[in-house]
Amino acid sequence: MSWSRSEPIMQIENLEKHYPLSGGLLSGEVGRVKAVDGISFDIHEGETFGIVGESGCGKSTAATSMIRLEEPTGGQVRYKGKDITEYDSTELKRFRRNVQMIFQDPDSSFDPRMSIGDAVAEPLIVQGMSDRKKREAIVADLLERVGLSASDMARYPHEFSGGQKQRIGLARALAVNPDVIVADEPVSALDVSIQSEILQLMKELQEAFNLTIIVISHNLGVIREICDRVAVMYLGEFVEVANSEELFNDPQHPYTRALLSAIPTPDPRERGLGVELKGDVPDPSAPPSGCRFHTRCPEVIPPENLELSQSVWRDVLHFRQRVRDSTLNLDSVAETAAVEEGIDTDDIDGDISVSDVPAETVITQLRRENNLPTELADSTANETLDKAFDQLARGDLEGAKETLEESFMTVCERDAPVLTEREGRQVSCHLHDDVTTDGSMLEADQPVSD
């Protein structure tokens, strides 16, 4: 299959990387950690494509899987029209010459017993260049290009600063004249003052060598500085892909908005105004149903029969999640409620439980602990919560779980959104569905009774 420059240089389709979990008497597979779970994107020659997300979202695994440093579980990765997942060892070695990687930690990416001249020349040796003088000439030129001296070849890694080591890492990646460089957190281990220098150097080298660059980072400032297009990743999936300028000026996915709001600002008047994400990042071995972000989303869509502000609805969902996951500790609630009631716990046989405390006191503590007011603006939601609180005050956790599940189901957890093309960008969110069966999101400033 021939490749033309008008086509993407790399095409990734439904890339997956799952890690098996073993257990049981026979240590068989009992589950899978879905680190990367079906991402697709194209990379065009000469562009810088960024993948951004929180730690643990799968972005580094995506980087290593797309160049087969780790074997993908599924999907296709085409480089210049050919699927590299089908390459044998000889073809893969040839591919390594065209696609190189820069690793996050410059300290651990070099052999301390090897001079930097030998380290930079190592890819040339692997690719079969036997002429020592030619290797030395290439290494000297590359060291000069990244801002070091050719005389540094005989020195060892411990003699260089972190920023200098990352420059050496760039030189090593360029040694075999690649088309594509994958940079995994290339400046995260460096001081802020050095980061901008390395990013500027990467831009200059990209222009000089006509490079295509893939940048993996959790730092949105880095992504904005260097990337042409950006994919936002959450729990193994892409939730938004857009041109860098469009994404930063007009984010469409709630997770993207939350990430952008967390960027530090020097203006004290704007501090503390960011979007707060409640709840923990879910376990990638058991991701949530529907939209994977719905357990933390600040804009999750309520059922059409409920009239609640977004902030109160989010608190209701967070409470329901605690009940569902059994992370709501009724014994702890009972102990706190007993103190409020002035009950002497020494007079109680065994551990204190909710049955030892008046139901009203338990319910008051439950409301306080979960940031839920005594009365909501919506009567249906009130009735559901009152019933669930009564069940919890009797110790009936399973009953409360069923009550909350029946009334507070949202389209966001029932149906998985599709990454859809809209006006030149891709977004995976039910807020952008043409029609949502559960109705539209209500305004956050809708009045609520206290």
Side-chain angles (χ1 to χ4, degrees):
M1 180 180 178
S2 61
W3 175 79
S4 68
R5 291 188 178 275
S6 61
E7 298 173 345
I9 191 169
M10 291 190 74
Q11 296 170 289
I12 291 84
E13 292 185 9
N14 299 317
L15 181 67
E16 294 180 352
K17 180 58 182 177
H18 297 174
Y19 297 97
L21 294 173
S22 58
L25 293 175
L26 301 177
S27 297
E29 185 175 319
V30 296
R32 289 195 161 203
V33 175
K34 299 176 180 178
V36 180
D37 201 26
I39 61 172
S40 301
F41 59 103
D42 294 342
I43 304 166
H44 297 274
E45 187 175 17
E47 82 166 329
T48 304
F49 186 89
I51 302 177
V52 66
E54 294 171 288
S55 296
C57 73
K59 56 188 185 295
S60 291
T61 305
T64 53
S65 299
M66 74 176 68
I67 61 174
R68 284 188 62 185
L69 288 182
E70 292 189 85
E71 287 298 327
T73 308
Q76 291 184 324
V77 179
R78 288 195 293 275
Y79 169 73
K80 292 188 175 181
K82 295 183 179 179
D83 187 359
I84 72 164
T85 62
E86 298 177 352
Y87 280 178
D88 59 23
S89 58
T90 302
E91 291 171 316
L92 190 58
K93 182 178 178 181
R94 192 180 305 121
F95 170 74
R96 294 270 186 263
R97 178 169 185 169
N98 296 312
V99 180
Q100 287 284 300
M101 188 160 186
I102 301 171
F103 296 95
Q104 177 177 353
D105 185 2
D107 288 315
S108 62
S109 60
F110 290 102
D111 184 339
R113 298 164 299 179
M114 184 181 288
S115 70
I116 65 155
D118 290 340
V120 174
E122 189 174 23
L124 296 170
I125 297 172
V126 171
Q127 292 297 328
M129 183 178 288
S130 57
D131 189 327
R132 182 179 181 85
K133 289 187 176 180
K134 189 174 182 180
R135 290 200 307 266
E136 289 180 349
I138 291 173
V139 171
D141 177 62
L142 287 171
L143 290 177
E144 296 281 354
R145 282 179 176 271
V146 298
L148 298 174
S149 170
S151 61
D152 290 327
M153 281 193 291
R155 297 169 64 189
Y156 287 82
H158 71 273
E159 300 180 69
F160 296 89
S161 67
Q164 288 173 323
K165 288 176 190 173
Q166 201 61 293
R167 290 173 184 269
I168 299 166
L170 279 165
R172 180 172 59 183
L174 293 171
V176 289
N177 195 25
D179 296 321
V180 180
I181 285 182
V182 180
D184 184 12
E185 299 280 9
V187 296
S188 65
L190 307 179
D191 293 340
V192 175
S193 59
I194 306 299
Q195 289 182 6
S196 60
E197 294 180 12
I198 298 299
L199 293 177
Q200 182 58 40
L201 175 62
M202 288 176 66
K203 288 181 182 179
E204 293 170 0
L205 293 172
Q206 181 176 31
E207 185 174 346
F209 289 90
N210 191 30
L211 295 170
T212 302
I213 300 178
I214 303 168
V215 178
I216 312 297
S217 182
H218 68 277
N219 189 328
L220 284 159
V222 169
I223 292 294
R224 187 170 197 171
E225 175 73 20
I226 197 171
C227 292
D228 302 308
R229 284 192 303 136
V230 183
V232 180
M233 194 169 187
Y234 183 79
L235 210 62
E237 297 181 337
F238 285 169
V239 297
E240 184 167 2
V241 183
N243 290 333
S244 182
E245 185 176 351
E246 291 178 351
L247 184 128
F248 280 90
N249 292 333
D250 185 26
Q252 295 295 302
H253 196 281
Y255 180 58
T256 308
R257 286 194 277 269
L259 290 179
L260 292 177
S261 72
I263 298 176
T265 173
D267 189 343
R269 293 169 296 181
E270 296 180 6
R271 293 174 190 164
L273 300 178
V275 177
E276 181 183 1
L277 296 181
K278 295 188 176 182
D280 298 324
V281 178
D283 183 351
S285 66
S289 61
C291 173
R292 295 184 177 184
F293 185 54
H294 84 262
T295 58
R296 304 172 69 207
C297 180
E299 300 177 43
V300 68
I301 300 170
E304 60 181 355
N305 63 324
L306 295 186
E307 296 183 3
L308 294 174
S309 70
Q310 184 58 220
S311 60
V312 173
W313 171 234
R314 182 67 264 175
D315 288 334
V316 169
L317 282 184
H318 184 50
F319 168 62
R320 189 193 64 169
Q321 190 69 33
R322 293 187 69 202
V323 174
R324 173 193 285 174
D325 297 343
S326 299
T327 56
L328 180 67
N329 190 327
L330 287 179
D331 290 338
S332 175
V333 171
E335 289 178 8
T336 306
V339 172
E340 289 284 329
E341 193 66 22
I343 296 173
D344 189 353
T345 56
D346 293 334
D347 296 336
I348 298 174
D349 236 359
D351 295 332
I352 191 167
S353 67
V354 289
S355 61
D356 299 314
V357 186
E360 289 185 3
T361 308
V362 173
I363 291 171
T364 298
Q365 176 58 27
L366 283 167
R367 288 186 181 277
R368 181 186 301 124
E369 187 176 292
N370 292 280
N371 196 33
L372 293 168
T374 305
E375 186 175 352
L376 306 183
D378 186 272
S379 59
T380 302
N382 257 333
E383 292 173 6
T384 300
L385 284 178
D386 286 344
K387 181 179 179 181
F389 282 136
D390 286 339
Q391 290 167 316
L392 289 171
R394 298 195 305 271
D396 185 7
L397 190 63
E398 287 302 315
K401 187 183 300 184
E402 290 180 13
T403 297
L404 295 170
E405 292 294 318
E406 288 174 6
S407 296
F408 296 138
M409 176 64 70
T410 162
V411 66
C412 297
E413 65 179 310
R414 188 183 66 237
D415 301 326
V418 178
L419 192 65
T420 307
E421 186 83 26
R422 290 180 180 274
E423 298 179 355
R425 69 166 70 193
Q426 294 175 297
V427 184
S428 173
C429 181
H430 287 302
L431 290 172
H432 297 277
D433 291 348
D434 293 331
V435 178
T436 58
T437 56
D438 279 347
S440 301
M441 184 185 71
L442 300 173
E443 294 297 328
D445 58 357
Q446 180 177 326
V448 179
S449 299
D450 295 324

